[in-house]
Amino acid sequence: KDAITLLKQVVAIKAKTLAEDHPSRLASQHALAGAYEANGQVKDAIALLEQVVAIRKRVLAEDHPDR
Protein backbone atom coordinates (compact mmCIF):
# COMPACT_ATOMS: atom_id res chain seq x y z
CA LYS A 1 0.00 0.00 0.00
CA ASP A 2 2.90 2.35 0.69
CA ALA A 3 4.28 1.67 -2.77
CA ILE A 4 0.91 2.47 -4.32
CA THR A 5 0.72 5.77 -2.43
CA LEU A 6 4.21 6.74 -3.56
CA LEU A 7 3.68 5.63 -7.16
CA LYS A 8 0.42 7.56 -7.35
CA GLN A 9 2.35 10.69 -6.35
CA VAL A 10 5.00 10.00 -8.99
CA VAL A 11 2.37 9.42 -11.67
CA ALA A 12 0.56 12.63 -10.69
CA ILE A 13 3.74 14.70 -10.89
CA LYS A 14 4.72 13.22 -14.23
CA ALA A 15 1.20 13.83 -15.53
CA LYS A 16 1.69 17.53 -14.78
CA THR A 17 5.20 17.79 -16.20
CA LEU A 18 5.49 15.30 -19.07
CA ALA A 19 3.57 14.66 -22.27
CA GLU A 20 1.02 11.86 -22.24
CA ASP A 21 3.27 9.68 -24.40
CA HIS A 22 6.58 10.39 -22.63
CA PRO A 23 8.37 7.08 -21.93
CA SER A 24 9.08 7.95 -18.30
CA ARG A 25 5.44 8.80 -17.66
CA LEU A 26 4.31 5.53 -19.26
CA ALA A 27 6.89 3.55 -17.26
CA SER A 28 5.60 5.07 -14.02
CA GLN A 29 2.03 4.21 -14.92
CA HIS A 30 3.12 0.67 -15.77
CA ALA A 31 4.86 0.38 -12.39
CA LEU A 32 1.73 1.62 -10.62
CA ALA A 33 -0.34 -0.96 -12.46
CA GLY A 34 2.07 -3.65 -11.27
CA ALA A 35 1.70 -2.46 -7.69
CA TYR A 36 -2.08 -2.50 -8.05
CA GLU A 37 -1.93 -6.09 -9.31
CA ALA A 38 0.37 -7.18 -6.50
CA ASN A 39 -2.06 -5.63 -4.01
CA GLY A 40 -5.02 -7.50 -5.47
CA GLN A 41 -6.47 -4.43 -7.20
CA VAL A 42 -6.73 -6.21 -10.51
CA LYS A 43 -9.44 -3.98 -12.00
CA ASP A 44 -7.36 -0.87 -11.31
CA ALA A 45 -4.28 -2.55 -12.80
CA ILE A 46 -6.13 -3.55 -15.96
CA ALA A 47 -7.66 -0.10 -16.44
CA LEU A 48 -4.28 1.60 -16.14
CA LEU A 49 -2.53 -0.93 -18.37
CA GLU A 50 -5.21 -0.49 -21.02
CA GLN A 51 -4.42 3.25 -21.08
CA VAL A 52 -0.67 2.62 -21.35
CA VAL A 53 -1.12 0.06 -24.12
CA ALA A 54 -3.44 2.37 -26.08
CA ILE A 55 -0.92 5.21 -25.94
CA ARG A 56 2.00 2.96 -26.89
CA LYS A 57 -0.02 1.51 -29.73
CA ARG A 58 -0.72 5.00 -31.02
CA VAL A 59 2.83 6.37 -30.81
CA LEU A 60 5.16 3.41 -31.30
CA ALA A 61 5.86 1.41 -34.44
CA GLU A 62 4.22 -2.00 -34.57
CA ASP A 63 7.58 -3.77 -34.17
CA HIS A 64 8.87 -1.55 -31.33
CA PRO A 65 9.90 -3.70 -28.30
CA ASP A 66 8.03 -1.47 -25.82
CA ARG A 67 4.78 -2.01 -27.67
Side-chain angles (χ1 to χ4, degrees), residues 7-64:
L7 284 167
K8 280 182 170 181
Q9 292 174 357
V10 170
V11 168
I13 291 168
K14 289 186 178 187
K16 291 178 184 177
T17 59
L18 299 174
E20 178 184 50
D21 60 350
H22 192 282
S24 182
R25 181 174 171 180
L26 294 170
S28 295
Q29 291 171 325
H30 192 267
L32 177 56
Y36 280 149
E37 191 273 331
N39 194 46
Q41 296 172 259
V42 177
K43 288 182 182 182
D44 293 327
I46 290 171
L48 190 51
L49 285 173
E50 285 175 341
Q51 291 175 12
V52 171
V53 168
I55 293 167
R56 286 182 174 165
K57 185 176 180 181
R58 189 178 75 238
V59 300
L60 298 176
E62 190 171 322
D63 61 346
H64 193 284

